[in-house]
Amino acid sequence: MPKIANIWLRSILSTIYQRGQMTRTEILQATGLNAASVSHALRYLLGTGTILKLGEIQSRGGRRSEVLKLNSDAAYFVAIDLEGTRIRIAFTNLVGDVRYRWEEDIEWGKPLEMKRIRYGVKMVLRNLRAPQRSRLVAAGISYPGIGDRQGSITAVNLGWQKVDLAGEMQEACGVPVFLEHSHRTCIIAERLVGCAQGSDNCVYVEVGQGIGASIISDGCHLAGRDRMAGELGHMVVDPDAKDRCKCGNYGCLESIASSPNVVRQYLADTKGQPHHLIGSKVGRVFERAQHGDKAALKVLDRVGSVLGIGLANLVNLLNPELIILGGDLPKGESVLLPRIKKELQRHAIRDFSEGLQIRVSSLGPDIRLMGATFLAFRNCLLYPQLLKKLCEPVIVVSSQQAVNLSGNTRTRLTAANVPIAAYREIPGNAARLERAKR
Amino acid sequence: MPKIANIWLRSILSTIYQRGQMTRTEILQATGLNAASVSHALRYLLGTGTILKLGEIQSRGGRRSEVLKLNSDAAYFVAIDLEGTRIRIAFTNLVGDVRYRWEEDIEWGKPLEMKRIRYGVKMVLRNLRAPQRSRLVAAGISYPGIGDRQGSITAVNLGWQKVDLAGEMQEACGVPVFLEHSHRTCIIAERLVGCAQGSDNCVYVEVGQGIGASIISDGCHLAGRDRMAGELGHMVVDPDAKDRCKCGNYGCLESIASSPNVVRQYLADTKGQPHHLIGSKVGRVFERAQHGDKAALKVLDRVGSVLGIGLANLVNLLNPELIILGGDLPKGESVLLPRIKKELQRHAIRDFSEGLQIRVSSLGPDIRLMGATFLAFRNCLLYPQLLKKLCEPVIVVSSQQAVNLSGNTRTRLTAANVPIAAYREIPGNAARLERAKR
């Protein structure tokens, strides 16, 4: 077999990663590589088990075409999500499924000690079996706040000021670490497995503890000078408002529509009434509104209206085809979304709002873990050493999975009576299988 | 000489175009081509006169290095600007200098007949001398409103609904035509010869008959779904405002801060006072404010404030390093800019506003003609036939210019006593010069 060029592997893996599953012909068209290169590379990747044959479909002209997909267990990642008031650390497979997780509530703004995160990583990693550990390739981190190019993070919700997260986590995980801002990890996930698949001009808007946006324009992240673009929360939507934002101004979108401020307004409006909402979460306000609570509906009228104005301003400036709303907002979708849409329609240029899709994120609380995994995967393709590790031979034998081994090997495996075991093929000797320690 | 690849010419010409003048070493570094290719291509381009040797500088290591620049007369363009209330048609050289022009005031919103533009093109082209005509390569058009991919324009100020501008102008100019929205032609010009040189994250904001923005993010134009991003004018900056926008809403930035609305507010405020401002232009309001007119200052306080809020919202969302203000605003710089900056500082995130440059465009009313020229040039590089025409042999002999000809030719030229004449070298026979008709 000829030498397999990294560029072939990179193109093929990233294409299949984006599309989920593809035929050989589709891979050929999508990568633009020549047929021989694709053929060599696919044979190699099928041989190592990095991609799997899913089946065959009838293609045009009556020929049968193999459908290929990534082996979700070809590589593992540590994914870390430090957003909001709950940190999540997970061991994920190639396609972002969580295998093991460790989560902990944290107090907003109270300094989070690095040893808690290290402890979480340790808790997650101690579950690993040897074949999993051997295929742990990299870690992806979704951080809030502001990160510099060296991986130092300044984040209000964690009480951090220039904390060397990258260095600490590289040490804790024992693999290369890749960081991205949490809004961007969300849109990475939405574009790969969520409702932004195939969209090249979309915006993910997180409405939670704060409000922020991540913008995809012509298929690229809009980063800005300091890679910090997307501070939608501090857009002035009502200069005459009495709501003071944590930035010191009045009338910022966040000072009216972020989750803590929704709760604050509801509490202020219902002062004196007996209720138990103090210290509670925005979901309770949404619930009450859904049950017709007038005070809650009044607050959400205002919140929906300013969110609509904020999004209309964003739409007029960026002309996207899709807006995805995430964070706490999906919980209040039934009450908030109609109000947001009404105001957006009113203020957005008609040509822009026509055909504009507004969707609510449905990837759930693991969205940033998925995004962090995808981030790590994408970066692995860029580094030859990590790419090599991604493509190392692996055969995962499971009872549910038909295994494509030579007759001899199959017999030996069956004889050994291995129900769900991971095997590692020794390169250069396909017949010799070494039982991996689990 | 080996065959000159188009890709070499394209890289070298576009690099020199962007930088103005460069040494051979700089060209080598900037293009990433190999030394032999650069050497061949430069010899060819110097031979045809498409680039000129400006002189020599002492480079590192004591060697002398040739400084090269584009021959501004190597190609000519028709540039058309249909913005605002005055249409401009020009014959421009390679670097955007206007050689001949035809301008006409038009009435805002009154249908502009295509025959007026055709007449303008004819007026401009009839000035051409034969060598100029032979080197007319393409036309660039800066259009207002909305253009589709086929070059049909819908524009309020021209009273146009899906007018086939591209087709009409291709016929009128007799060369390929390239179109771009006026805000984008402005930022093309600012990046090449204005204050945005070297900036990859900048925004051009036009404040004139309307308000719009053109956004450069990571070096690329932010286009949006319909290539219409940048409608800053309809950003809601004051939801409680009584100012009705032409879009039907209240509180749009444009409904308060566009030039006609500045005049409108001033006239409303000074009702009953004897003055002669009715039907006059925003420059008069700026002038009065500069002379301490209280009514004018009151209007501009408000205008500066909403522009500051609008720009702060834009800065928070996009995190640019530079904002360029153009249109009518430069006329009111001394009064408006301090007010804008104050409000922007107040509402923009501090990390974003620190180090953010706000500049007033200084390219003057020809900015869109320059942009249209650069647009046409950039597109010429992409089409082999046009690229070939760009690089056709030309020798422009001027009294100020040292001409690098062989001794014999020089003698013959001198003998012919030609002061400022254009000569055309016959390909394949450098010694034989044919006198061009002027």
Side-chain angles (χ1 to χ4, degrees), chain B residues 151-424:
Chain B
S152 287
I153 308 297
T154 300
V156 182
N157 73 324
L158 306 175
W160 283 5
Q161 189 72 32
K162 290 231 173 254
V163 169
D164 178 23
L165 183 64
E168 292 273 358
M169 287 302 104
Q170 183 128 6
E171 208 188 301
C173 302
V175 286
V177 163
F178 302 97
L179 290 88
E180 189 55 278
H181 190 279
S182 61
H183 300 154
R184 281 199 278 276
T185 49
C186 287
I187 205 159
I188 291 174
E190 291 288 353
R191 290 185 80 204
L192 267 173
V193 293
C195 53
Q197 286 176 63
S199 169
D200 276 345
N201 286 288
C202 54
V203 183
Y204 177 89
V205 176
E206 167 107 3
V207 185
Q209 291 293 318
I211 296 179
S214 183
I215 302 158
I216 299 287
S217 160
D218 268 340
C220 299
H221 276 293
L222 192 152
R225 182 189 63 180
D226 315 302
R227 301 190 49 75
M228 279 161 56
E231 283 289 354
L232 182 64
H234 300 286
M235 176 179 278
V236 183
V237 286
D238 186 359
D240 302 326
K242 300 278 176 290
D243 308 75
R244 189 157 202 264
C245 184
K246 61 176 192 241
C247 72
N249 278 310
Y250 293 86
C252 292
L253 180 57
E254 194 168 301
S255 71
I256 301 170
S258 73
S259 300
N261 281 303
V262 171
V263 176
R264 173 185 60 76
Q265 289 170 80
Y266 180 70
L267 291 178
D269 278 8
T270 54
K271 214 169 161 181
Q273 283 182 34
H275 58 65
H276 310 282
L277 257 176
I278 293 172
S280 120
K281 295 194 175 150
V282 71
R284 296 286 297 277
V285 182
F286 293 147
E287 265 171 39
R288 297 201 166 201
Q290 278 150 9
H291 291 100
D293 179 320
K294 277 190 186 156
L297 281 171
K298 192 183 146 207
V299 170
L300 295 186
D301 272 346
R302 186 177 182 222
V303 168
S305 160
V306 293
L307 279 173
I309 290 179
L311 293 184
N313 289 349
L314 182 147
V315 166
N316 288 343
L317 208 52
L318 304 176
N319 183 209
E321 60 204 16
L322 169 67
I323 293 177
I324 308 147
L325 300 168
D328 290 330
L329 202 140
K331 297 177 200 161
E333 180 181 355
S334 62
V335 201
L336 267 179
L337 202 58
R339 289 167 167 79
I340 293 173
K341 281 189 175 168
K342 188 180 142 205
E343 202 69 15
L344 194 154
Q345 295 284 347
R346 205 181 124 199
H347 289 290
I349 290 173
R350 192 186 295 170
D351 283 334
F352 289 15
S353 63
E354 268 174 15
L356 169 73
Q357 286 189 59
I358 300 171
R359 304 278 285 274
V360 164
S361 172
S362 54
L363 293 183
D366 282 348
I367 179 170
R368 283 178 291 270
L369 293 177
M370 294 178 200
T373 304
F374 303 150
L375 168 79
F377 173 80
R378 287 202 314 197
N379 278 286
C380 285
L381 296 182
L382 303 177
Y383 295 89
Q385 274 183 306
L386 298 177
L387 181 62
K388 197 178 155 204
K389 203 164 175 189
L390 268 182
C391 301
E392 267 181 5
V394 62
I395 299 180
V396 177
V397 185
S398 83
S399 52
Q400 287 87 33
Q401 213 169 357
V403 183
N404 203 356
L405 298 171
S406 68
N408 260 355
T409 319
R410 188 164 234 163
T411 320
R412 277 167 52 202
L413 282 179
T414 319
N417 191 23
V418 194
I420 307 177
Y423 274 80
R424 201 141 200 278

Side-chain angles (χ1 to χ4, degrees), chain A residues 381-396:
Chain A
L381 296 182
L382 303 178
Y383 295 90
Q385 274 183 307
L386 298 177
L387 181 62
K388 195 175 157 208
K389 203 163 175 190
L390 268 181
C391 302
E392 268 181 3
V394 61
I395 298 178
V396 177

Side-chain angles (χ1 to χ4, degrees), chain A residues 362-373:
Chain A
S362 54
L363 293 183
D366 282 348
I367 181 170
R368 284 178 290 271
L369 293 177
M370 293 178 202
T373 304

Side-chain angles (χ1 to χ4, degrees), chain A residues 58-359:
Chain A
Q58 199 86 26
S59 70
R60 264 184 290 184
R63 288 182 59 189
R64 301 188 70 79
S65 189
E66 281 182 354
V67 181
L68 304 169
K69 61 166 254 176
L70 285 178
N71 177 354
S72 58
D73 292 306
Y76 297 105
F77 300 90
V78 174
I80 301 177
D81 165 20
L82 303 174
E83 181 65 28
T85 53
R86 189 170 176 84
I87 58 172
R88 296 164 209 270
I89 299 172
F91 180 74
T92 56
N93 69 7
L94 192 57
V95 293
D97 301 318
V98 174
R99 287 286 166 263
Y100 309 111
R101 70 169 78 222
W102 180 89
E103 302 194 2
E104 191 172 69
D105 280 332
I106 55 171
E107 211 174 307
W108 177 272
K110 202 181 149 194
L112 172 70
E113 287 179 65
M114 192 56 75
K115 68 176 183 196
R116 290 303 301 156
I117 310 181
R118 274 205 301 266
Y119 177 76
V121 171
K122 201 174 135 197
M123 287 298 102
V124 161
L125 292 183
R126 75 170 178 173
N127 293 297
L128 305 197
R129 285 149 190 155
Q132 289 177 325
R133 184 175 293 275
S134 74
R135 303 200 70 78
L136 174 61
V137 182
I141 305 182
S142 168
Y143 64 84
I146 299 160
D148 64 19
R149 284 176 200 273
Q150 283 72 48
S152 289
I153 308 296
T154 301
V156 181
N157 74 323
L158 307 174
W160 283 3
Q161 190 71 33
K162 291 231 173 252
V163 170
D164 177 24
L165 183 63
E168 291 272 359
M169 286 303 105
Q170 183 128 9
E171 207 188 303
C173 302
V175 285
V177 163
F178 302 98
L179 291 88
E180 190 53 280
H181 190 278
S182 61
H183 299 154
R184 281 200 277 275
T185 50
C186 287
I187 205 159
I188 290 174
E190 291 288 352
R191 290 186 82 204
L192 268 172
V193 294
C195 52
Q197 288 176 63
S199 170
D200 276 346
N201 287 288
C202 54
V203 182
Y204 177 89
V205 176
E206 167 109 2
V207 184
Q209 292 293 317
I211 295 179
S214 182
I215 302 158
I216 299 288
S217 161
D218 267 341
C220 300
H221 277 292
L222 192 152
R225 181 188 65 181
D226 316 301
R227 300 187 51 74
M228 277 162 56
E231 283 289 354
L232 181 64
H234 300 286
M235 175 179 279
V236 183
V237 286
D238 185 359
D240 302 325
K242 299 279 175 294
D243 309 74
R244 189 159 203 264
C245 184
K246 61 177 192 241
C247 72
N249 278 310
Y250 293 86
C252 292
L253 180 57
E254 193 168 301
S255 71
I256 301 170
S258 73
S259 298
N261 281 303
V262 171
V263 174
R264 172 186 62 73
Q265 289 170 80
Y266 180 70
L267 291 178
D269 279 7
T270 54
K271 212 168 160 184
Q273 283 181 32
H275 59 64
H276 310 283
L277 258 175
I278 294 170
S280 122
K281 294 194 177 150
V282 71
R284 296 286 296 279
V285 182
F286 293 147
E287 263 171 40
R288 294 197 171 205
Q290 278 149 8
H291 291 100
D293 180 320
K294 277 189 186 156
L297 281 169
K298 190 183 147 207
V299 170
L300 296 187
D301 272 344
R302 184 176 184 223
V303 168
S305 161
V306 294
L307 279 173
I309 290 179
L311 293 183
N313 289 347
L314 181 148
V315 165
N316 288 343
L317 207 53
L318 304 176
N319 184 209
E321 60 204 14
L322 169 67
I323 293 178
I324 309 146
L325 300 168
D328 289 331
L329 201 140
K331 296 178 200 159
E333 181 182 355
S334 62
V335 201
L336 267 178
L337 202 57
R339 290 168 167 77
I340 292 173
K341 280 188 176 172
K342 188 181 142 205
E343 201 70 15
L344 194 154
Q345 295 284 345
R346 207 182 123 200
H347 290 288
I349 289 173
R350 193 187 294 170
D351 282 335
F352 289 16
S353 62
E354 266 173 17
L356 169 73
Q357 287 189 58
I358 301 170
R359 305 277 287 273

Side-chain angles (χ1 to χ4, degrees), chain B residues 56-242:
Chain B
E56 285 185 340
I57 54 163
Q58 198 85 27
S59 69
R60 261 182 293 183
R63 287 182 60 189
R64 301 189 70 78
S65 191
E66 282 181 352
V67 181
L68 304 169
K69 62 166 253 176
L70 285 178
N71 178 353
S72 58
D73 292 306
Y76 297 105
F77 300 91
V78 174
I80 301 177
D81 165 21
L82 302 175
E83 181 67 26
T85 53
R86 190 171 176 80
I87 58 172
R88 297 164 208 270
I89 299 173
F91 179 75
T92 56
N93 69 8
L94 192 59
V95 293
D97 301 319
V98 174
R99 287 287 166 261
Y100 310 111
R101 68 169 79 222
W102 179 88
E103 303 194 2
E104 191 173 69
D105 279 333
I106 56 172
E107 210 175 304
W108 177 271
K110 202 181 147 193
L112 172 70
E113 287 179 66
M114 191 58 73
K115 67 176 183 198
R116 290 304 301 156
I117 311 181
R118 274 205 302 265
Y119 176 77
V121 170
K122 201 175 133 195
M123 287 298 102
V124 161
L125 292 185
R126 73 170 179 176
N127 293 298
L128 305 198
R129 286 151 189 153
Q132 288 178 326
R133 186 176 291 275
S134 74
R135 302 200 72 79
L136 175 60
V137 182
I141 304 182
S142 167
Y143 65 84
I146 300 161
D148 65 17
R149 284 176 201 273
Q150 282 72 47
S152 287
I153 308 297
T154 300
V156 182
N157 73 324
L158 306 175
W160 283 5
Q161 189 72 32
K162 290 231 173 254
V163 169
D164 178 23
L165 183 64
E168 292 273 358
M169 287 302 104
Q170 183 128 6
E171 208 188 301
C173 302
V175 286
V177 163
F178 302 97
L179 290 88
E180 189 55 278
H181 190 279
S182 61
H183 300 154
R184 281 199 278 276
T185 49
C186 287
I187 205 159
I188 291 174
E190 291 288 353
R191 290 185 80 204
L192 267 173
V193 293
C195 53
Q197 286 176 63
S199 169
D200 276 345
N201 286 288
C202 54
V203 183
Y204 177 89
V205 176
E206 167 107 3
V207 185
Q209 291 293 318
I211 296 179
S214 183
I215 302 158
I216 299 287
S217 160
D218 268 340
C220 299
H221 276 293
L222 192 152
R225 182 189 63 180
D226 315 302
R227 301 190 49 75
M228 279 161 56
E231 283 289 354
L232 182 64
H234 300 286
M235 176 179 278
V236 183
V237 286
D238 186 359
D240 302 326
K242 300 278 176 290

